[in-house]
Coordinates of all heavy atoms in Angstrom, one line a residue:
M1 N 0.9 -1.2 0.0 CA 0.0 0.0 0.0 C 0.9 1.3 0.0 O 1.9 1.3 0.6 CB -0.9 0.1 1.2 CG -2.0 -1.0 1.2 SD -3.2 -0.8 0.0 CE -4.2 0.5 0.8
P2 N 0.4 2.3 -0.6 CA 1.2 3.6 -0.6 C 1.3 4.1 0.8 O 0.5 3.8 1.7 CB 0.4 4.5 -1.5 CG -0.6 3.7 -2.1 CD -0.8 2.4 -1.3
Q3 N 2.2 5.0 1.0 CA 2.3 5.7 2.3 C 1.1 6.6 2.6 O 0.3 6.8 1.7 CB 3.6 6.5 2.4 CG 4.9 5.7 2.3 CD 4.9 4.7 3.5 OE1 4.9 5.2 4.6 NE2 4.9 3.4 3.2
A4 N 1.1 7.2 3.8 CA 0.0 8.0 4.2 C -0.1 9.2 3.3 O 0.8 9.6 2.5 CB 0.1 8.5 5.6
T5 N -1.3 10.0 3.3 CA -1.5 11.1 2.3 C -0.7 12.3 2.7 O -0.8 13.3 1.9 CB -3.0 11.4 2.4 OG1 -3.4 11.8 3.7 CG2 -3.8 10.3 1.9
T6 N 0.1 12.2 3.8 CA 0.8 13.5 4.1 C 2.2 13.5 3.5 O 2.9 14.5 3.6 CB 1.1 13.5 5.7 OG1 1.6 12.2 6.0 CG2 -0.2 13.7 6.4
T7 N 2.6 12.5 2.6 CA 3.9 12.5 2.0 C 4.1 13.7 1.1 O 3.2 14.2 0.5 CB 4.1 11.2 1.2 OG1 5.4 11.2 0.7 CG2 3.2 11.1 0.1
T8 N 5.3 14.3 1.1 CA 5.6 15.3 0.2 C 6.5 14.8 -0.9 O 7.1 15.6 -1.7 CB 6.4 16.5 0.9 OG1 7.5 15.9 1.6 CG2 5.4 17.1 1.9
H9 N 6.7 13.5 -1.0 CA 7.6 12.9 -2.1 C 6.7 12.7 -3.3 O 5.6 12.3 -3.2 CB 8.2 11.6 -1.6 CG 9.1 11.7 -0.5 ND1 10.3 12.4 -0.6 CD2 9.0 11.3 0.8 CE1 10.9 12.4 0.6 NE2 10.1 11.8 1.4
P10 N 7.3 13.0 -4.5 CA 6.6 12.6 -5.7 C 6.2 11.2 -5.8 O 7.0 10.3 -5.4 CB 7.5 13.1 -6.8 CG 8.5 13.9 -6.2 CD 8.6 13.4 -4.8
T11 N 5.1 10.9 -6.3 CA 4.6 9.5 -6.5 C 4.0 9.3 -7.9 O 3.5 10.3 -8.5 CB 3.4 9.3 -5.4 OG1 4.1 9.5 -4.1 CG2 3.0 7.8 -5.4
M12 N 4.0 8.2 -8.4 CA 3.4 7.9 -9.7 C 1.9 8.0 -9.5 O 1.3 7.3 -8.7 CB 3.7 6.5 -10.2 CG 5.2 6.2 -10.5 SD 5.8 7.4 -11.7 CE 5.1 6.7 -13.2
C13 N 1.3 9.0 -10.2 CA -0.1 9.4 -10.1 C -1.0 8.7 -11.1 O -0.7 9.0 -12.4 CB -0.3 10.9 -10.1 SG -1.9 11.4 -10.1
L14 N -1.9 7.9 -10.8 CA -2.7 7.2 -11.8 C -3.8 8.3 -12.3 O -4.1 8.2 -13.5 CB -3.5 6.1 -11.1 CG -4.4 5.3 -12.1 CD1 -3.7 4.7 -13.2 CD2 -5.1 4.2 -11.3
K15 N -4.2 9.2 -11.5 CA -5.2 10.1 -11.9 C -4.8 11.0 -13.1 O -5.4 11.2 -14.1 CB -5.7 11.0 -10.7 CG -6.8 12.1 -11.1 CD -7.1 12.8 -9.8 CE -7.8 14.1 -10.1 NZ -9.2 13.8 -10.7
H16 N -3.5 11.4 -12.9 CA -2.9 12.4 -14.0 C -1.9 11.7 -14.9 O -1.4 12.3 -15.9 CB -2.3 13.5 -13.3 CG -3.2 14.4 -12.5 ND1 -3.2 14.4 -11.1 CD2 -4.2 15.2 -12.9 CE1 -4.2 15.2 -10.7 NE2 -4.8 15.7 -11.7
G17 N -1.6 10.4 -14.7 CA -0.6 9.8 -15.5 C 0.7 10.6 -15.4 O 1.3 10.8 -16.5
D18 N 1.2 10.8 -14.2 CA 2.3 11.7 -14.0 C 3.0 11.3 -12.8 O 2.4 10.6 -11.9 CB 1.8 13.2 -14.0 CG 3.0 14.1 -14.2 OD1 4.1 13.7 -14.6 OD2 2.7 15.3 -14.0
F19 N 4.3 11.8 -12.6 CA 5.1 11.6 -11.4 C 5.1 13.0 -10.7 O 5.8 13.8 -11.1 CB 6.4 11.1 -11.8 CG 7.3 10.8 -10.7 CD1 7.1 9.7 -9.9 CD2 8.5 11.5 -10.5 CE1 8.0 9.4 -8.8 CE2 9.3 11.2 -9.4 CZ 9.0 10.1 -8.6
H20 N 4.4 13.1 -9.6 CA 4.3 14.4 -8.9 C 3.9 14.2 -7.4 O 3.6 13.1 -7.0 CB 3.4 15.3 -9.7 CG 2.0 15.0 -9.7 ND1 1.1 15.8 -10.4 CD2 1.3 14.0 -9.2 CE1 -0.1 15.2 -10.3 NE2 0.0 14.1 -9.6
V21 N 4.0 15.2 -6.7 CA 3.4 15.2 -5.3 C 1.9 15.2 -5.4 O 1.4 16.1 -5.9 CB 3.9 16.4 -4.5 CG1 3.4 16.3 -3.0 CG2 5.5 16.4 -4.4
M22 N 1.3 14.1 -4.9 CA -0.1 13.9 -5.1 C -0.9 14.6 -4.0 O -0.6 14.7 -2.9 CB -0.4 12.4 -5.1 CG 0.1 11.8 -6.4 SD 0.3 10.0 -6.3 CE -1.3 9.4 -5.9
D23 N -2.1 15.2 -4.5 CA -3.0 15.8 -3.6 C -4.0 14.7 -3.2 O -4.0 13.6 -3.6 CB -3.6 17.0 -4.2 CG -4.4 16.8 -5.4 OD1 -4.8 15.6 -5.6 OD2 -4.6 17.8 -6.1
S24 N -5.1 15.1 -2.4 CA -6.0 14.1 -1.9 C -6.8 13.5 -3.0 O -7.2 12.3 -3.0 CB -6.9 14.7 -0.8 OG -7.6 15.8 -1.4
D25 N -7.1 14.3 -4.1 CA -7.8 13.7 -5.2 C -7.1 12.6 -5.9 O -7.6 11.5 -6.3 CB -8.2 14.8 -6.3 CG -9.4 15.6 -5.9 OD1 -10.0 15.3 -4.9 OD2 -9.6 16.6 -6.6
C26 N -5.8 12.8 -6.1 CA -4.9 11.8 -6.6 C -4.9 10.6 -5.8 O -4.9 9.4 -6.3 CB -3.4 12.4 -6.7 SG -3.3 13.9 -7.7
W27 N -4.7 10.7 -4.4 CA -4.7 9.6 -3.5 C -6.0 8.8 -3.6 O -5.9 7.6 -3.5 CB -4.3 10.1 -2.2 CG -2.9 10.3 -2.0 CD1 -2.3 11.4 -1.7 CD2 -1.8 9.3 -2.0 NE1 -0.9 11.3 -1.6 CE2 -0.6 10.0 -1.8 CE3 -1.8 7.9 -2.3 CZ2 0.7 9.4 -1.8 CZ3 -0.6 7.3 -2.2 CH2 0.6 8.1 -2.0
D28 N -7.1 9.5 -3.7 CA -8.4 8.8 -3.9 C -8.4 7.8 -4.9 O -8.7 6.7 -4.8 CB -9.5 9.8 -4.1 CG -10.0 10.5 -2.9 OD1 -9.6 10.0 -1.7 OD2 -10.8 11.4 -2.9
V29 N -7.9 8.3 -6.1 CA -7.8 7.4 -7.3 C -6.9 6.3 -7.1 O -7.2 5.1 -7.3 CB -7.4 8.2 -8.6 CG1 -7.1 7.3 -9.8 CG2 -8.4 9.2 -8.9
T30 N -5.7 6.6 -6.5 CA -4.7 5.5 -6.3 C -5.2 4.5 -5.2 O -5.0 3.3 -5.5 CB -3.4 6.2 -5.8 OG1 -2.9 7.0 -6.9 CG2 -2.3 5.2 -5.4
L31 N -5.7 5.0 -4.2 CA -6.2 4.0 -3.1 C -7.3 3.2 -3.6 O -7.4 2.0 -3.3 CB -6.5 4.8 -1.8 CG -5.3 5.5 -1.1 CD1 -5.8 6.3 0.1 CD2 -4.2 4.5 -0.7
D32 N -8.2 3.8 -4.4 CA -9.3 3.0 -5.1 C -8.7 1.9 -5.9 O -9.2 0.8 -5.9 CB -10.2 3.9 -5.9 CG -11.2 4.6 -5.1 OD1 -11.3 4.4 -3.9 OD2 -12.0 5.4 -5.7
W33 N -7.7 2.3 -6.6 CA -7.1 1.3 -7.5 C -6.5 0.1 -6.7 O -6.7 -1.0 -7.0 CB -6.0 1.9 -8.3 CG -5.5 1.0 -9.4 CD1 -6.0 0.9 -10.7 CD2 -4.5 0.0 -9.3 NE1 -5.3 -0.1 -11.4 CE2 -4.4 -0.7 -10.5 CE3 -3.7 -0.4 -8.2 CZ2 -3.5 -1.7 -10.7 CZ3 -2.8 -1.4 -8.3 CH2 -2.6 -2.1 -9.6
Y34 N -5.7 0.5 -5.6 CA -5.1 -0.6 -4.8 C -6.2 -1.4 -4.1 O -6.1 -2.6 -4.0 CB -4.2 0.0 -3.8 CG -2.8 0.2 -4.3 CD1 -2.3 1.4 -4.6 CD2 -1.9 -0.9 -4.4 CE1 -1.1 1.6 -5.1 CE2 -0.6 -0.7 -4.9 CZ -0.2 0.5 -5.2 OH 1.0 0.7 -5.7
F35 N -7.3 -0.7 -3.7 CA -8.4 -1.5 -3.1 C -9.0 -2.5 -4.0 O -9.3 -3.6 -3.6 CB -9.5 -0.5 -2.6 CG -10.6 -1.1 -1.7 CD1 -10.3 -1.5 -0.4 CD2 -11.8 -1.3 -2.3 CE1 -11.3 -2.0 0.3 CE2 -12.8 -2.0 -1.5 CZ -12.5 -2.3 -0.2
S36 N -9.1 -2.1 -5.3 CA -9.7 -3.0 -6.3 C -8.7 -4.1 -6.7 O -9.1 -5.0 -7.5 CB -10.2 -2.3 -7.5 OG -9.2 -1.7 -8.2
S37 N -7.5 -4.0 -6.3 CA -6.4 -4.9 -6.7 C -6.0 -5.8 -5.5 O -4.9 -6.3 -5.6 CB -5.3 -4.2 -7.3 OG -5.7 -3.5 -8.4
Q38 N -6.8 -5.9 -4.5 CA -6.3 -6.6 -3.3 C -6.1 -8.0 -3.6 O -5.3 -8.7 -2.8 CB -7.4 -6.4 -2.2 CG -7.3 -5.1 -1.5 CD -8.4 -4.9 -0.5 OE1 -9.5 -5.5 -0.6 NE2 -8.1 -4.2 0.5
H39 N -6.6 -8.6 -4.6 CA -6.4 -10.0 -4.9 C -5.0 -10.3 -5.4 O -4.6 -11.4 -5.4 CB -7.4 -10.5 -6.0 CG -7.3 -9.7 -7.3 ND1 -7.9 -8.4 -7.3 CD2 -6.8 -9.9 -8.4 CE1 -7.6 -8.0 -8.5 NE2 -7.1 -8.9 -9.2
L40 N -4.2 -9.2 -5.9 CA -2.8 -9.3 -6.3 C -1.9 -9.3 -5.1 O -2.2 -8.7 -4.2 CB -2.5 -8.2 -7.3 CG -3.4 -8.1 -8.5 CD1 -3.0 -6.8 -9.3 CD2 -3.2 -9.3 -9.4
N41 N -0.8 -10.0 -5.2 CA 0.3 -9.8 -4.2 C 1.0 -8.5 -4.3 O 0.7 -7.8 -5.3 CB 1.2 -11.0 -4.1 CG 2.1 -11.0 -5.4 OD1 2.5 -10.0 -5.9 ND2 2.5 -12.2 -5.8
D42 N 1.8 -8.1 -3.4 CA 2.4 -6.7 -3.4 C 3.2 -6.5 -4.7 O 2.9 -5.4 -5.3 CB 3.5 -6.7 -2.2 CG 2.8 -6.3 -1.0 OD1 1.6 -6.2 -0.9 OD2 3.5 -6.1 0.1
Q43 N 4.0 -7.4 -5.1 CA 4.8 -7.1 -6.3 C 3.9 -7.0 -7.5 O 4.1 -6.1 -8.4 CB 5.8 -8.2 -6.5 CG 6.8 -7.9 -7.6 CD 7.6 -6.6 -7.4 OE1 8.2 -6.5 -6.3 NE2 7.6 -5.8 -8.4
A44 N 2.9 -7.9 -7.7 CA 2.0 -7.9 -8.8 C 1.2 -6.6 -8.8 O 1.0 -6.0 -9.9 CB 1.1 -9.0 -8.8
S45 N 0.8 -6.2 -7.6 CA -0.1 -4.9 -7.6 C 0.8 -3.7 -8.0 O 0.3 -2.8 -8.6 CB -0.8 -4.8 -6.3 OG 0.1 -4.4 -5.3
R46 N 2.0 -3.7 -7.5 CA 3.0 -2.6 -7.8 C 3.1 -2.5 -9.4 O 3.1 -1.5 -10.0 CB 4.3 -2.7 -7.1 CG 4.4 -1.8 -5.9 CD 5.8 -1.7 -5.4 NE 6.3 -3.0 -5.0 CZ 6.1 -3.4 -3.7 NH1 5.5 -2.6 -2.8 NH2 6.6 -4.5 -3.3
D47 N 3.5 -3.7 -9.9 CA 3.7 -3.8 -11.4 C 2.5 -3.4 -12.2 O 2.5 -2.6 -13.1 CB 4.1 -5.2 -11.8 CG 5.5 -5.6 -11.3 OD1 6.2 -4.6 -10.8 OD2 5.9 -6.8 -11.4
A48 N 1.3 -3.9 -11.7 CA 0.0 -3.5 -12.4 C -0.2 -2.1 -12.3 O -0.7 -1.4 -13.2 CB -1.1 -4.4 -11.9
Y49 N 0.0 -1.5 -11.1 CA -0.2 -0.1 -10.9 C 0.7 0.8 -11.9 O 0.2 1.7 -12.5 CB 0.1 0.4 -9.5 CG -0.1 1.8 -9.2 CD1 -1.4 2.3 -9.1 CD2 0.9 2.7 -9.1 CE1 -1.7 3.6 -8.9 CE2 0.7 4.0 -8.9 CZ -0.6 4.5 -8.8 OH -0.9 5.8 -8.6
L50 N 2.0 0.4 -11.9 CA 2.8 1.2 -12.9 C 2.4 1.0 -14.3 O 2.5 2.0 -15.1 CB 4.3 0.7 -12.7 CG 4.9 1.1 -11.4 CD1 6.4 0.6 -11.3 CD2 4.9 2.5 -11.2
A51 N 1.9 -0.1 -14.7 CA 1.4 -0.4 -16.0 C 0.2 0.5 -16.3 O 0.1 1.1 -17.4 CB 1.1 -1.8 -16.3
A52 N -0.7 0.6 -15.3 CA -1.9 1.4 -15.4 C -1.5 2.9 -15.5 O -2.1 3.6 -16.3 CB -2.8 1.2 -14.2
V53 N -0.5 3.4 -14.8 CA 0.0 4.8 -14.9 C 0.6 5.0 -16.2 O 0.3 6.0 -16.9 CB 1.0 5.1 -13.8 CG1 1.6 6.5 -14.0 CG2 0.4 5.1 -12.4
E54 N 1.4 4.0 -16.8 CA 1.9 4.2 -18.1 C 0.9 4.3 -19.2 O 1.1 5.1 -20.1 CB 2.9 3.0 -18.4 CG 4.3 3.2 -17.8 CD 5.1 1.9 -18.0 OE1 4.8 1.2 -18.9 OE2 6.1 1.8 -17.3
R55 N -0.1 3.5 -19.0 CA -1.3 3.6 -20.0 C -1.8 5.0 -20.0 O -2.2 5.6 -21.0 CB -2.4 2.5 -19.7 CG -2.3 1.3 -20.6 CD -3.6 0.5 -20.5 NE -4.0 0.3 -19.2 CZ -3.6 -0.8 -18.4 NH1 -2.8 -1.6 -18.9 NH2 -4.1 -0.9 -17.2
Q56 N -2.1 5.5 -18.7 CA -2.6 6.9 -18.6 C -1.7 7.9 -19.2 O -2.2 8.9 -19.8 CB -2.8 7.1 -17.1 CG -3.5 8.4 -16.8 CD -4.9 8.4 -17.2 OE1 -5.6 7.4 -17.1 NE2 -5.4 9.5 -17.8
M57 N -0.3 7.7 -19.0 CA 0.6 8.7 -19.7 C 0.5 8.7 -21.2 O 0.5 9.7 -21.8 CB 2.1 8.2 -19.3 CG 2.5 8.6 -17.9 SD 4.2 7.9 -17.6 CE 4.5 8.6 -16.0
L58 N 0.3 7.4 -21.7 CA 0.2 7.4 -23.2 C -1.1 8.0 -23.6 O -1.1 8.7 -24.7 CB 0.3 5.9 -23.6 CG 1.6 5.2 -23.5 CD1 1.5 3.8 -23.8 CD2 2.6 5.9 -24.4
D59 N -2.1 7.7 -22.9 CA -3.5 8.5 -23.2 C -3.3 10.0 -23.2 O -3.8 10.6 -24.1 CB -4.5 8.1 -22.2 CG -5.1 6.7 -22.4 OD1 -4.7 6.1 -23.3 OD2 -5.9 6.2 -21.5
N60 N -2.6 10.5 -22.2 CA -2.3 11.9 -22.1 C -1.6 12.4 -23.4 O -1.9 13.4 -24.0 CB -1.5 12.3 -20.9 CG -2.3 12.1 -19.7 OD1 -3.5 12.0 -19.7 ND2 -1.6 12.1 -18.5
L61 N -0.6 11.6 -23.8 CA 0.2 12.0 -25.0 C -0.6 12.1 -26.2 O -0.5 13.0 -27.0 CB 1.4 11.1 -25.2 CG 2.6 11.1 -24.2 CD1 3.6 10.0 -24.6 CD2 3.2 12.5 -24.4
I62 N -1.4 11.0 -26.4 CA -2.3 10.9 -27.6 C -3.3 12.1 -27.6 O -3.5 12.8 -28.6 CB -3.0 9.6 -27.5 CG1 -2.0 8.4 -27.9 CG2 -4.1 9.6 -28.6 CD1 -2.5 7.1 -27.6
R63 N -3.9 12.4 -26.4 CA -4.8 13.5 -26.3 C -4.3 14.8 -26.6 O -5.0 15.7 -27.1 CB -5.5 13.4 -24.9 CG -7.0 13.5 -24.9 CD -7.6 13.3 -23.6 NE -7.6 12.0 -23.1 CZ -7.3 11.6 -21.9 NH1 -6.9 12.4 -21.0 NH2 -7.2 10.3 -21.5
N64 N -3.0 15.0 -26.2 CA -2.4 16.4 -26.3 C -1.7 16.6 -27.6 O -1.2 17.6 -27.8 CB -1.3 16.5 -25.2 CG -2.0 16.6 -23.8 OD1 -3.1 16.9 -23.7 ND2 -1.2 16.2 -22.8
R65 N -1.8 15.6 -28.5 CA -1.2 15.8 -29.8 C -2.0 16.7 -30.7 O -3.2 16.8 -30.6 CB -1.1 14.4 -30.5 CG 0.3 14.2 -30.8 CD 0.6 12.9 -31.5 NE -0.5 11.9 -31.5 CZ -0.3 10.7 -32.0 NH1 0.8 10.3 -32.5 NH2 -1.3 9.8 -32.0
Ligands
ZN1 ZN1 -2.2 13.6 -9.7

């Protein structure tokens, strides 16, 4: 699971498909994602999360073209 919402370190953000210091909206999306992936083990959920963020990044690139 990610650290508490008080962190000031940049984190891979699923909501924005970006690497930044996340606000509470970002954490809502991320924690929802982890909640829905509880059937995965730690490593698998981390890998799947990064894959989901990468997909979001690609979506952003396509949309901003
Ligand atoms: Zn964000």
Side-chain angles (χ1 to χ4, degrees):
M1 291 290 283
Q3 293 299 302
T5 58
T6 52
T7 183
T8 54
H9 297 293
T11 304
M12 294 303 285
C13 173
L14 180 59
K15 180 178 165 72
H16 298 108
D18 197 9
F19 183 67
H20 63 185
V21 178
M22 287 162 57
D23 62 22
S24 59
D25 279 355
C26 301
W27 280 114
D28 278 352
V29 173
T30 294
L31 293 176
D32 274 358
W33 189 94
Y34 273 104
F35 188 75
S36 67
S37 303
Q38 281 176 332
H39 56 287
L40 300 174
N41 68 33
D42 274 6
Q43 187 60 52
S45 69
R46 259 192 295 272
D47 288 350
Y49 180 76
L50 289 180
V53 172
E54 279 175 18
R55 261 198 309 276
Q56 185 66 41
M57 283 178 175
L58 290 175
D59 280 356
N60 290 344
L61 286 178
I62 291 165
R63 225 176 285 135
N64 292 336
R65 240 183 341 189

